[in-house]
Amino acid sequence: MRPPRRLGVPPAPPALLLLALLLGAPRGVGAGAGAQAELRVRVRLPDGQVTEESLQADSDADSIGLELREPDGTLVSFTADFRKDVKIFRALILGELEKGQSQFQALCFVTRLHHNEIIPSEAMAKLRQKNPRAVRQAEEVRALEQLHMDMTVNFSQGGLLSPHLRNVCAEAVDAIYTRQEDVRFWLEQGVDSSVFEALPRAPEDTELPRCGQVGDRGKPCTCRYGLSLAWYPCLLKYCHSRDRPAPYKCGIRSCQKSYGFHFYVPQKQLCLWDEDP
């Protein structure tokens, strides 16, 4: 059962999330330079419901983490590893016991990180908010991105791609997907080819059917899974002042972005959420 919608809560002005350290505010009790920082923000989901989102930054490791729970109970996390040019999406999906599924099913999707997609880890670590009870709504809705995942990541070798992968994807050992075009980039960066394996493909001149169009739950098919990052700091804002000769960082711009992942599964039983054509 979905929780009731919470209506009538206006979004907070975007300027309320500031880069506090750049404005002269302290990092917080017990937080030294390079320490990990966490920010909890109430955000409005695309369907209007409100959830709490956790944002973590580790400037020493040069990484960012984001986690939120969707209305159906799915736990979504996003990790950006700036050192390795890797981003990791993970979904922990509650299983349907009456359909023979386990308590939950885990999926990991690993793609190349472009550094202009999200603010740097050092800036994320400095974010503070004046009103923790306010509900944030993204200023910019970025276009849906469809990603066809045709490779997998070998979990036992995943640390060679990113040190975060073994921790983030520990529940998804056999379901860590990536793309051939991203693999080519990482190989050029010196990542060992043993990290990656190709997914099975349909015979030439044929196309594997979508799982929603397959009746037999034991048959292989192409699964589709969608997730959304409801709110994240995507850009830094710069202000001008007569007292300063150059523009200075004074806040962030927030974005919302959705992703559609398409990937091979050996049996439809592993993709029961995609039952509708």
Side-chain angles (χ1 to χ4, degrees):
M1 180 179 295
R2 290 179 177 268
R5 295 184 61 177
R6 302 178 65 174
L7 304 177
V9 184
L16 289 182
L17 275 173
L18 304 177
L19 297 177
L21 187 60
L22 296 171
L23 299 177
R27 281 183 65 99
V29 179
Q36 294 187 18
E38 182 177 15
L39 182 71
R40 292 189 176 274
V41 181
R42 298 176 71 213
V43 300
R44 191 177 300 282
L45 298 172
D47 66 358
Q49 297 191 56
V50 174
T51 191
E52 185 178 75
E53 185 175 284
S54 170
L55 299 106
Q56 307 92 29
D58 186 336
S59 52
D60 279 349
D62 200 8
S63 64
I64 286 172
L66 179 156
E67 188 172 87
L68 63 88
R69 191 172 296 278
E70 296 183 340
D72 64 0
T74 298
L75 187 65
V76 171
S77 70
F78 167 79
T79 303
D81 181 347
F82 290 94
R83 286 185 180 169
K84 297 292 189 177
D85 299 306
V86 168
K87 59 186 178 189
I88 307 169
F89 301 88
R90 185 196 65 188
L92 296 180
I93 308 160
L94 293 181
E96 299 181 59
L97 300 180
E98 68 277 11
K99 294 183 178 180
Q101 293 181 309
S102 57
Q103 188 175 3
F104 68 88
Q105 184 174 344
L107 300 172
C108 264
F109 305 102
V110 186
T111 63
R112 178 184 175 184
L113 173 68
H114 298 273
H115 288 214
N116 60 351
E117 295 181 62
I118 192 167
I119 67 172
S121 61
E122 183 180 354
M124 181 77 85
K126 297 170 185 175
L127 287 180
R128 300 293 181 270
Q129 58 180 335
K130 290 183 177 178
N131 183 4
R133 294 181 58 81
V135 177
R136 313 289 170 183
Q137 189 161 339
E139 300 168 78
E140 177 186 339
V141 178
R142 294 189 166 178
L144 168 68
E145 190 172 351
Q146 299 286 1
L147 300 163
H148 294 271
M149 317 302 279
D150 50 7
M151 303 281 288
T152 61
V153 176
N154 183 337
F155 179 76
S156 64
Q157 301 294 317
L160 299 175
L161 178 61
S162 168
H164 302 278
L165 192 137
R166 289 183 63 84
N167 180 46
V168 175
C169 300
E171 297 93 351
V173 173
D174 299 316
I176 308 174
Y177 302 96
T178 189
R179 300 186 300 171
Q180 196 170 73
E181 59 193 86
D182 295 325
V183 169
R184 282 196 293 266
F185 168 79
W186 292 320
L187 292 177
E188 291 172 359
Q189 304 306 305
V191 177
D192 194 270
S193 61
S194 65
V195 175
F196 311 104
E197 297 176 6
L199 276 168
R201 296 184 179 182
E204 282 189 43
D205 302 323
T206 63
E207 186 174 335
L208 201 64
R210 267 248 334 268
C211 291
Q213 301 167 337
V214 173
D216 186 342
R217 291 186 180 177
K219 293 283 189 180
C221 52
T222 299
C223 186
R224 176 184 62 179
Y225 187 77
L227 59 79
S228 178
L229 302 182
W231 188 98
Y232 67 98
C234 51
L235 292 170
L236 293 174
K237 286 184 177 180
Y238 289 83
C239 293
H240 299 266
S241 170
R242 293 181 180 179
D243 303 327
R244 301 190 184 189
Y248 60 94
K249 302 180 185 73
C250 59
I252 56 100
R253 181 173 182 81
S254 58
C255 289
Q256 171 194 313
K257 186 169 177 62
S258 297
Y259 300 83
F261 298 98
H262 305 256
F263 54 99
Y264 166 93
V265 290
Q267 51 182 312
K268 180 182 175 177
Q269 180 71 16
L270 298 173
C271 185
L272 292 184
W273 55 81
D274 195 20
E275 285 191 325
D276 298 325

